[in-house]
């Protein structure tokens, strides 16, 4: 197993170390060596300018990070170097802290994104300040409305709590005997009221009955007294009238046979 470790190196017999010269590195090689390799994902979808390969957003690359030396409001602007997955051409893009985004620099074109309006011009400092002030005012109004709603809700909750406390206090001071006496008195009053209503109904019924009896008595013909009958009338006429009344009533008088 020792021969597999290759601890010793082979030097040919005609090897002359004095003939070896040290190669000087160029500034470009030094800059490349100073670049830091980082693992990143593409911040936007792009199309390679050399071969037309589409690189989608979020694809992972081993990129070389470079500090451009530029700054915006004290924030350093960085440049990243990646290579196309198809033709291996170099693609560079850098950060844009002003717009919180990235800018394609060389080797690729950024794809169209509908939520980014290219017709909008870059806003100036005054426009940005006005926009921020307007947003602050809107936020302040929203916070004020939220506070008013919270205060109103809190007042309603306080009223409900006070009402519950009052009701509980009344329930604590209530005597069961007094409650029963009150219910008994209300029951007795209800019975008395019902008895009075029943008596009034009976009285009205009797009054109506008497009235009807009086009206029926007035409508009936009162028979004439005996004194008013003509006693001088013929008895045969009276007997005939009696027969006529009997026949009208369906009364048949049987004649007795004399032997």
């Amino acid at each position: 197993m020792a021969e597999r470790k290759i601890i010793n190196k082979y030097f040919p017999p005609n090897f002359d170390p004095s003939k070896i010269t040290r190669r000087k590195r160029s500034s470009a090689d030094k800059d490349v060596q100073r670049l830091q390799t980082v693992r990143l994902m593409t911040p936007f979808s792009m199309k390679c300018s050399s071969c037309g390969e589409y690189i989608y957003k979020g694809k992972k690359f081993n990129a070389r990070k470079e500090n451009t030396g530029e700054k915006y409001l004290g924030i350093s602007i960085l440049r990243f170097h990646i290579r196309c997955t198809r033709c291996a051409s170099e693609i560079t893009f850098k950060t844009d802290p002003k717009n919180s985004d990235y800018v394609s620099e060389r080797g690729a074109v950024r794809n169209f994104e509908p939520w980014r309006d290219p017709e909008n011009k870059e806003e100036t400092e005054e426009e940005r300040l006005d926009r921020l002030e307007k947003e602050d005012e809107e936020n302040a109004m929203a916070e004020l409305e939220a506070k008013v709603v919270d205060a109103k809700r809190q007042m309603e909750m306080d009223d409900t709590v006070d009402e519950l406390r009052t009701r509980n206090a009344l329930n604590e001071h209530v005597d069961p005997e007094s409650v029963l006496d009150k219910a008994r008195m209300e029951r007795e009053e209800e019975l008395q009221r019902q008895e009075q209503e029943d008596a009034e109904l009976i009285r009205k019924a009797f009054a109506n009955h008497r009235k009807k009896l009086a009206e029926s008595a007035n409508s009936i013909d009162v028979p004439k007294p005996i004194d008013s009958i003509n006693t001088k009338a013929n008895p045969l006429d009276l007997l005939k009238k009696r027969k006529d009344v009997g026949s009208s009533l369906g009364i048949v008088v049987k004649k007795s046979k004399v032997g």
Side-chain angles (χ1 to χ4, degrees):
M1 297 296 293
E3 64 275 9
R4 294 186 181 182
K5 294 182 180 180
I6 312 177
I7 298 175
N8 298 324
K9 295 181 179 181
Y10 172 75
F11 295 97
N14 57 353
F15 175 71
D16 187 3
S18 61
K19 295 181 179 180
I20 299 175
T21 58
R22 299 187 65 180
R23 184 175 62 87
K24 293 183 180 180
R25 293 182 179 178
S26 62
S27 59
D29 294 339
K30 292 181 180 179
D31 294 338
V32 169
Q33 190 178 7
R34 284 199 299 267
L35 295 181
Q36 182 183 359
T37 303
V38 293
R39 185 75 171 173
L40 57 77
M41 293 186 292
T42 52
F44 52 85
S45 59
M46 63 186 77
K47 177 183 178 182
C48 179
S49 302
S50 300
C51 63
E53 175 73 9
Y54 284 96
I55 301 173
Y56 58 85
K57 178 181 178 180
K59 188 175 180 61
K60 294 181 180 180
F61 285 92
N62 290 326
R64 289 175 291 123
K65 183 175 71 173
E66 177 187 359
N67 191 349
T68 60
E70 303 175 3
K71 290 187 177 182
Y72 175 79
L73 299 178
I75 302 173
S76 299
I77 297 176
L78 304 177
R79 181 182 289 112
F80 297 94
H81 302 259
I82 61 174
R83 290 192 175 277
C84 177
T85 55
R86 184 177 179 183
C87 63
S89 61
E90 189 178 27
I91 300 172
T92 60
F93 57 88
K94 61 181 181 179
T95 58
D96 184 13
K98 181 178 180 180
N99 299 317
S100 301
D101 200 0
Y102 291 82
V103 178
S104 179
E105 204 173 28
R106 188 179 67 254
V109 179
R110 185 168 184 168
N111 293 340
F112 173 74
E113 295 172 349
W115 58 87
R116 297 175 67 250
D117 190 0
E119 295 181 358
N120 290 340
K121 299 179 181 179
E122 296 182 358
E123 59 181 358
T124 60
E125 295 292 335
E126 295 180 357
E127 293 177 351
R128 184 178 291 104
L129 290 175
D130 294 339
R131 179 174 56 82
L132 294 175
E133 289 178 359
K134 188 176 180 180
E135 290 178 357
D136 293 339
E137 290 178 358
E138 291 177 356
N139 294 335
M141 290 296 295
E143 291 178 0
L144 182 60
E145 291 177 358
K147 287 181 180 179
V148 170
V149 172
D150 293 340
K152 187 176 180 181
R153 188 183 297 111
Q154 186 66 29
M155 290 175 64
E156 293 177 356
M157 293 173 63
D158 293 341
D159 294 340
T160 305
V161 170
D162 293 339
E163 184 178 355
L164 292 175
R165 287 178 178 174
T166 305
R167 189 180 301 173
N168 293 335
L170 292 174
N171 293 335
E172 289 177 358
H173 295 292
V174 169
D175 187 10
E177 295 295 334
S178 63
V179 174
L180 292 175
D181 294 340
K182 185 177 180 181
R184 195 179 298 111
M185 290 176 63
E186 290 178 356
R187 180 62 179 170
E188 291 176 357
E189 291 177 357
E190 184 68 20
L191 292 174
Q192 290 179 1
R193 186 178 61 80
Q194 291 180 0
E195 290 177 357
Q196 292 177 0
E197 291 179 356
D198 295 341
E200 185 68 20
L201 291 173
I202 293 170
R203 186 182 63 78
K204 289 181 179 179
F206 275 108
N208 293 332
H209 186 63
R210 290 194 192 97
K211 186 176 180 181
K212 289 180 180 179
L213 287 176
E215 291 177 355
S216 61
N218 293 331
S219 62
I220 297 173
D221 295 335
V222 180
K224 295 182 181 180
I226 297 173
D227 296 340
S228 63
I229 299 174
N230 188 4
T231 57
K232 294 180 179 181
N234 191 359
L236 295 175
D237 296 336
L238 293 174
L239 182 59
K240 188 176 180 181
K241 289 181 178 180
R242 183 177 178 185
K243 288 181 179 179
D244 294 337
V245 171
S247 63
S248 63
L249 295 174
I251 300 172
V252 180
V253 181
K254 292 182 180 180
K255 295 180 180 181
S256 60
K257 295 182 181 180
V258 180

